[in-house]
Amino acid sequence: MIRKAVFPAAGLGTRFLPATKAQPKEMLVLVDKPIIQYGVEEAAAAGVNHIILVTGRGKNAIEDHFDVSIELETFLEARGKTEQLAEIRKVSNLINFAYVRQGEPLGLGHAVLVAAELVGDEPFAVVLGDDVIDAQPSALKQMADVFERVKGPVLAVERVPESEVSAYGVVDIAESLGDGVYRIKDLVEKPPRAEAPSNLAIIGRYILTPDIFPALRATAVDRTGEIQLTNGLRRLLKQRPIYGYEVKGVRHDTGNKLGFLKAVVYFALRRPDLAEPFRKYLKTIDGENRA
Ligand code: G1P
């Protein structure tokens, strides 16, 4: 059972400036829910009940979002707005939250290390909130089931176009174990296209074991000045098997503008209250663009 999930959320979100000048990028909204809540709900659906958010300066809105708001609850209660009340209570009741600050922007591997003490000596998940995955069962639940089977670290992987491999950690496969599960031979962080061992990219979900911590402590910063989780995993691979798993679902990379916009449209079209009028509207602007 995976009880804890680490959410690195210390990044500055410079790709979305000026929207992210005074607001964390994790709080940008897909329809009516902040991006990070999609990841939190996914983790909750996998049985996670402790979330460790690795934050930095200017991220208070995330803490407030997952906290109880007595003022708002009293207001909604007094006005008999029971539906909205239930919705916001769901958020604060979802799970336990702990916050730890990264301090310096030393990369994803460092963010995971900062959470070491709160994770303790048990397997845990890492969720990169930018990747929003629509899946049933939830992506992390699928991965937790694979973890039960293989009893080793599981990284979510996805085939990406070759032109995009240099934006990801890329895995080299030793063997396929069936049903989307692979044993990994090697992994490399953001290789040039010509040097990529495959087009199987690591996407933002990991189930890790606590032996990743000593491996990360022994991992030097790379040429970008960061400790890469991929390089820590590469070190750990010398000691134990590590697995890749192709999640069955639809992933949106909301960390770039086009991916973000696609995700807004995708989730709006899945909402019973919005799908029909929104689809109608989209058809009209498509016509205008062609005219
Ligand atoms: C990080 C990881 C990379 C992984 C990616 C998935 O990179 O370092 O290995 O493929 O997340 O989103 P980032 O996107 O933070 O640059």
Side-chain angles (χ1 to χ4, degrees), residues 108 128 131 167-169 189-190 201-204 206 228 230:
L108 179 57
L128 309 186
D131 278 323
Y168 294 94
E189 178 68 4
K190 304 197 173 120
I202 303 170
I203 57 169
Y206 307 76
Q228 300 300 344
T230 305

